[in-house]
Amino acid sequence: MAAVNDTTHTEPHTPWGSSPEKKPLNPLAQTMKLQLNYDELTNCMRCGFCQAACPTFLETGLEAASPRGRIALMKAVVDGVMEPDQKFREQMDLCLGCRACEPVCPADVKYGHLLEETRDSLEQHEEHRWFIKAARKVAFKEMFPKPKRMKLVGKLLRTYQKSGLQKIARGTGIMNLFPKNMRDMEKILPEASGRGIVETLGTRVAAKGNKIGTVGMFRGCLMDVMFTQTNLKTVQLLSEAGFEVLIPDTQNCCGALHAHSGEIDAAKSLARQNVRAFREAGVDYIASNAGGCGALLVEYDHLLHDEPEYADDAKWFASRVKDVSQLLLEKGRLPDFAQPANRASDGQPFTITYQDSCHLRNVMRSSNAPRNLMKRVANVKFVELQGADRCCGSAGIYNIVQTEMANQILEHKMEHVKETNAHVLITSNPGCLLQMKLGIEREHMSDKMEAVHIVDFLYDRLANEPSARKS
Ligand code: SF4
Ligand code: SF4
């Protein structure tokens, strides 16, 4: 990394002259100067090709809320031309981290890495209020990296959902005491579970028929307790396609939420655990079924590049990571997918559409595999969603911490969703799935459209799977 270690700078040239006197940078600017790859900052040639791909620029029309603008702000801070004030922080926070600016950039600027490094620097100098500090500590240190605690949360949530407490909370209007966003979220929560895939299937599932390779299943932290069925179906689809599936129980959370929230050291620690777990298992591929997780897994080589003890193994790991749709389509023995049961009661052809996962599309660079896979289901009409490549506003915890912009983006997204007249809206990431469910709920469309993870959609249509649930 070409970080500049000199922590002083020369006063920039201004219309009223320049001062030869060097003065120390602000401590945050110093940290940024050490953390950010200066070559990457200067690679930006200010062409502006990224503007049209950036949701926050399109929503605000502000240069500072665009990729080019944000890179200029980072560089100005590192060069000492500007103080990293509150407005600077606001623009860094407003970025979705969707990385739609990367595939369109002719200079191949790694904007996502610059953003992560900037957020990590900001976090090192941030004086949070006590409750935010406590919430961050609980989430990033005590929950996501502790699989047993995640399962306990899953169990508690399941008790709330199954014991009748949820009905009471809704029926008595207690939920009205909470902000609207939380009330909406509560309505679309998936069925939680205290038993993840290892507790259900063990750590090895044999291939059906001739084995064509061994896949290590990345189970995720939230995925394993909030979307357990999707995880189970992922393993079964992979087995159906001819893969032996190993699920190393020593794996942990991918660290994506940590990396995107300025907790790079914690993300690195999780990456080391995962690299060890899958290296020991010795797999041909590593399957992810969540675009947000997969995008960090595929960049573990970058995350651990300056750790000699792990760098080679991290490269080994990153080169094996694939989204489940890529694995099934490109490497697997594809099963037949039967046509959906007659759910199109409106007499229209059974219509499906797809909202890209930004990280699957922009970082893992896979947009065709999911589309081609779902088009293999018999007798479905696929309608392209206008702006499917644009973020839905979920973006990890963005819809919780940047509610206004997330809602604005979702509102615009739903205008296009309505135009598709689809019966099923398919996604490849749990965050996008919940956001799409939220949009459908808010637009009162749940009687005619449902949002579904691509794995659930495909598994439920396995033509020759007796245990498959046909819907
Ligand atoms: S497209 Fe790339 S080089 Fe052009 S302004 Fe955007 S980040 Fe800079
Ligand atoms: S990551 Fe997304 S929101 Fe952020 S600058 Fe790039 S395109 Fe815009």
Side-chain angles (χ1 to χ4, degrees):
M1 179 188 290
V4 182
N5 293 321
D6 177 8
T7 54
T8 59
H9 71 278
T10 308
E11 200 70 43
H13 286 268
T14 66
W16 49 92
S18 63
S19 159
E21 190 192 332
K22 284 189 166 187
K23 66 177 186 181
L25 284 175
N26 163 305
L28 168 56
Q30 283 184 34
T31 306
M32 282 180 61
K33 199 162 188 168
L34 289 166
Q35 298 237 134
L36 270 66
N37 184 336
Y38 197 76
D39 286 347
E40 211 62 74
L41 286 174
T42 51
N43 275 350
C44 174
M45 51 195 185
R46 306 195 49 73
C47 64
F49 285 179
C50 49
Q51 312 284 68
C54 174
T56 55
F57 175 73
L58 294 173
E59 293 292 337
T60 63
L62 296 173
E63 172 72 15
S66 77
R68 181 176 70 182
R70 290 192 176 105
I71 292 169
L73 290 175
M74 292 170 194
K75 185 165 181 303
V77 168
V78 168
D79 287 342
V81 175
M82 128 180 191
E83 289 289 308
D85 57 11
Q86 189 52 29
K87 287 205 165 120
F88 171 78
R89 171 148 207 149
E90 280 167 15
Q91 285 310 337
M92 297 306 132
D93 289 345
L94 192 68
C95 173
L96 292 143
C98 67
R99 297 175 71 169
C101 40
E102 290 187 23
V104 294
C105 174
D108 196 25
V109 174
K110 300 281 184 279
Y111 173 85
H113 297 165
L114 290 171
L115 179 70
E116 276 170 13
E117 289 149 5
T118 300
R119 285 187 172 164
D120 192 61
S121 306
L122 282 163
E123 209 40 53
Q124 288 180 37
H125 294 269
E126 184 64 40
E127 283 301 324
H128 286 303
R129 291 163 78 182
W130 70 267
F131 54 90
I132 295 183
K133 222 187 236 175
R136 286 181 68 95
K137 186 168 179 245
V138 169
F140 294 132
K141 295 200 167 74
E142 309 298 337
M143 297 283 299
F144 296 130
K146 306 266 164 93
K148 282 191 183 148
R149 287 192 194 158
M150 289 303 291
K151 300 229 167 77
L152 184 63
V153 171
K155 268 184 200 151
L156 291 174
L157 209 49
R158 190 170 173 80
T159 307
Y160 166 74
Q161 291 171 329
K162 297 287 171 192
S163 65
L165 274 173
Q166 187 174 47
K167 275 191 191 143
I168 294 171
R170 288 177 181 176
T172 54
I174 290 174
M175 289 311 299
N176 293 333
L177 298 173
F178 293 93
K180 180 167 182 338
N181 231 37
M182 278 186 75
R183 292 201 305 270
D184 289 347
M185 287 287 186
E186 194 270 347
K187 283 187 204 154
I188 47 117
L189 273 183
E191 247 184 43
S193 160
R195 277 169 67 82
I197 39 174
V198 169
E199 288 80 5
T200 313
L201 299 174
T203 53
R204 179 183 172 275
V205 173
K208 295 244 175 87
N210 288 339
K211 175 180 152 183
I212 52 177
T214 304
V215 171
M217 166 75 189
F218 188 80
R219 66 182 165 192
C221 56
L222 273 173
M223 271 311 282
D224 212 34
V225 295
M226 297 301 291
F227 297 88
T228 317
Q229 284 302 315
T230 308
N231 266 0
L232 292 171
K233 290 174 184 178
T234 303
V235 172
Q236 277 151 4
L237 269 181
L238 288 167
S239 154
E240 195 73 29
F243 297 107
E244 175 188 36
V245 186
L246 301 182
I247 315 160
D249 203 21
T250 48
Q251 63 178 295
N252 209 328
C253 161
C254 65
L257 285 176
H258 299 79
H260 303 158
S261 307
E263 301 276 349
I264 288 187
D265 283 346
K268 284 184 179 178
S269 159
L270 291 164
R272 282 185 223 110
Q273 283 182 55
N274 289 325
V275 167
R276 262 198 310 267
F278 285 87
R279 192 64 163 140
E280 278 163 17
V283 293
D284 300 319
Y285 307 104
I286 296 165
S288 154
N289 58 8
C293 303
L296 189 72
L297 299 177
V298 88
E299 291 198 327
Y300 272 5
D301 53 342
H302 168 76
L303 194 62
L304 300 178
H305 74 278
D306 55 358
E307 301 194 16
E309 213 185 313
Y310 283 91
D312 285 345
D313 284 348
K315 266 190 210 155
W316 174 92
F317 182 102
S319 67
R320 277 160 176 73
V321 175
K322 292 213 173 277
D323 185 73
V324 60
S325 57
Q326 293 174 298
L327 266 177
L328 290 172
L329 194 76
E330 295 161 16
K331 311 283 179 193
R333 197 169 48 233
L334 267 184
D336 291 331
F337 298 111
Q339 73 177 89
N342 186 22
R343 199 188 158 278
S345 51
D346 52 7
Q348 298 301 311
F350 191 85
T351 309
I352 59 173
T353 191
Y354 179 67
Q355 163 62 33
D356 280 287
S357 146
C358 297
H359 285 118
L360 180 56
R361 184 184 183 100
N362 303 324
V363 185
M364 299 181 84
R365 303 287 168 108
S366 178
S367 56
N368 288 336
R371 284 175 171 80
N372 289 340
L373 253 186
M374 63 186 85
K375 286 178 191 168
R376 292 180 70 105
V377 175
N379 297 326
V380 293
K381 179 179 162 198
F382 178 80
V383 177
E384 191 61 60
L385 166 65
Q386 194 187 328
D389 57 347
R390 195 175 305 162
C391 183
C392 61
S394 166
I397 54 170
Y398 188 91
N399 55 356
I400 300 169
V401 293
Q402 295 285 338
T403 317
E404 202 182 324
M405 178 59 77
N407 286 344
Q408 202 173 312
I409 290 172
L410 180 59
E411 222 170 273
H412 291 153
K413 172 74 59 191
M414 292 312 292
E415 286 167 16
H416 295 308
V417 168
K418 280 183 206 159
E419 290 161 8
T420 65
N421 284 320
H423 298 95
V424 181
L425 169 55
I426 298 168
T427 72
S428 298
N429 185 56
C432 313
L433 178 61
L434 293 181
Q435 186 79 340
M436 290 295 90
K437 281 180 184 283
L438 189 63
I440 290 171
E441 178 75 30
R442 281 191 183 156
E443 298 293 329
H444 310 290
M445 292 161 65
S446 41
D447 56 333
K448 41 181 182 272
M449 181 185 282
E450 61 175 334
V452 175
H453 192 286
I454 187 167
V455 163
D456 296 324
F457 180 71
L458 293 174
Y459 178 86
D460 292 350
R461 282 159 188 91
L462 273 177
N464 300 317
E465 176 55 50
S467 59
R469 177 178 59 85
K470 304 287 189 299
S471 58

